[in-house]
Amino acid sequence: MTVDWPRNDYSRVPFSVYHDPELYTLEMERVFRGNCWSYLAFEAEVPNPGDFRTTWVGDTPVVVSRSDDGQLHAFVNRCSHRGAQIVREVSGHCKTDHVCIYHRWCYSKKGELIGVPFRRGLQGQGGMPADFDMQAHHPKALRLANYHGVLFGTFSDAAEPIETYLGEFGTGMIKRFMHKPIKILGYTRQLIEGNWKLYAENLRDTYHASLLHEFFVTYGVDRATQKGGVRMDERHRHNMNYAFSNSDTQSQAEQAYAGISGVELDRMRLSDQKILAYRPEFADGLNLATPTFFPNAIIIQINNSLSSRQIRPKGVNAHEIFQTLFGYEDDTEEMTRHRLISANLVGPAGLVSMEDGEAIEIVQKATRRETASHSLVEMGGLGPIQNLEHRVTETPIRGFWSYWSELMGMEPEGGIR
Ligand code: FES
Ligand SMILES: [Fe+2]
């Protein structure tokens, strides 16, 4: 199977990549079970022995669990018996072992099969064959890496060490967010009827932020006129859009957006400004930082709202965005409240995030019958994929595709990296 790339710099993306079920199946193998690391959860969600959190790698359900000796484990959340999901809660604490509800097979906190009801039958009748070997039927384990409290998993023995995978850019950004112990504030989930890669593109699309998101541009949270830009790792798989707060003026913005249909900077006024309040808290002075981690995650700061978002593919036509909101352990109660107010910007009904779901769904719908055609990804220029000190660009989208193609073995001839 190949992808017919019209150009070798990924500035044309064939619409078939969002709709082809065969390609989707290959992605689950070559991307999500290939040589890359997927974001799983935060260590702060499983602080004590017995704690667990369910998560996904591609469309494979996974449990992250802390065993009694304090070690962290990740294993496929599928019963070795007849395939039911073993753990069904989002997160929790397990006193003794994990029990599959269907026929009550038991699994240790390390993910080993340790109990089978009626294994020896009843009064000499039934039961499993005498040579049934429980050890041969543990759920598949993943390699797990804990990088400064962010947990990643991989099915591959050949995946590079996590530090190398994240690179200087990725490790630096994780250290930025995880510079002190975090506190989990809550979760949101959102089902979007669109291919998962449309979300991955959206996260790398600086261009749309101040055009689609009227709230951003009207209230100056994120505008193209702010100082900022895009950064990527060397292989262009992870990337970030960033901006400095208060680095533009109202008149600069008014000039820049004058004449753009549908964008009116003075259309709305907030009678309560609390939601816009921003308290500088990072040494780098950014009010917006959005490092993405190929293939499935972003850690995102919009003002003082902090969260991770995980992309969970649900078949070729849908994905779920699972968001984990966090603050810091040493936040005052008042600061936590402030973070939760800022969090009204994000999530399924968020004043900003809501529109991303809609944008993705209208792309999915409108391209369904146009699979021989392609999108245009030229904003910010053609040719080399590089870091930029401005925000009128979608170059990181081409970076995403270049690495995706490499993993899939579907690079165009002379494909740029
Ligand atoms: S499917 Fe889990 S015990 Fe039967
Ligand atoms: Fe967006």
Side-chain angles (χ1 to χ4, degrees), residues 168-376:
E168 205 182 308
F169 165 78
T171 53
M173 285 318 294
I174 289 184
K175 286 187 213 154
R176 172 195 194 263
F177 279 93
M178 307 301 283
H179 67 288
K180 55 184 176 176
I182 65 165
K183 178 167 75 180
I184 305 299
L185 300 181
Y187 300 114
T188 67
R189 292 205 284 188
Q190 176 177 12
L191 187 69
I192 299 176
E193 290 184 4
N195 183 267
W196 71 274
K197 298 187 294 304
L198 289 171
Y199 199 88
E201 286 188 318
N202 177 277
L203 297 178
R204 290 161 172 83
D205 170 359
T206 315
Y207 178 38
H208 87 282
S210 67
L211 295 168
L212 171 68
H213 302 305
E214 198 176 358
F215 194 94
F216 264 168
V217 62
T218 305
Y219 302 116
V221 181
D222 181 358
R223 297 198 278 222
T225 40
Q226 270 171 279
K227 215 170 127 248
V230 296
R231 266 183 227 151
M232 289 164 268
D233 68 312
E234 271 177 19
R235 192 52 202 82
H236 309 125
R237 46 192 170 189
H238 323 300
N239 85 297
M240 167 168 105
N241 165 17
Y242 64 93
F244 294 92
S245 65
N246 298 320
S247 53
D248 64 347
T249 63
Q250 189 65 15
S251 74
Q252 281 171 332
E254 273 163 18
Q255 249 181 10
Y257 288 91
I260 298 180
S261 277
V263 179
E264 289 172 48
L265 259 56
D266 55 1
R267 195 172 76 76
M268 300 181 286
R269 286 274 173 275
L270 283 174
S271 53
D272 184 342
Q273 301 277 324
K274 268 206 289 302
I275 201 164
L276 293 177
Y278 170 58
R279 302 176 189 177
E281 61 173 325
F282 294 102
D284 54 21
L286 302 177
N287 78 308
L288 180 99
T290 64
T292 62
F293 301 97
F294 189 96
N296 72 335
I298 184 169
I299 299 182
I300 182 164
Q301 171 204 358
I302 304 176
N303 287 346
N304 300 108
S305 123
L306 308 177
S307 64
S308 69
R309 293 182 202 162
Q310 183 188 40
I311 308 175
R312 301 173 167 183
K314 303 285 175 201
V316 70
N317 291 319
H319 62 279
E320 181 181 79
I321 298 304
F322 185 94
Q323 178 167 247
T324 306
L325 297 155
F326 69 92
Y328 295 101
E329 254 179 27
D330 65 0
D331 283 349
T332 59
E333 232 172 87
E334 201 271 324
M335 184 62 179
T336 298
R337 193 172 154 68
H338 169 63
R339 289 197 198 280
L340 290 173
I341 289 169
S342 304
N344 280 294
L345 297 171
V346 299
L351 292 163
V352 174
S353 303
M354 185 167 54
E355 292 119 15
D356 293 314
E358 176 66 7
I360 287 167
E361 293 194 353
I362 58 179
V363 172
Q364 188 79 10
K365 279 180 198 149
T367 57
R368 197 174 285 153
R369 276 302 141 238
E370 296 291 342
T371 50
S373 191
H374 53 75
S375 65
L376 299 177

Side-chain angles (χ1 to χ4, degrees), residues 79-86 100-105 107 117:
C79 183
S80 308
H81 180 216
R82 298 251 302 282
Q85 209 171 307
I86 304 164
C100 174
I101 194 176
Y102 204 170
H103 314 85
R104 311 280 173 178
W105 284 29
Y107 297 88

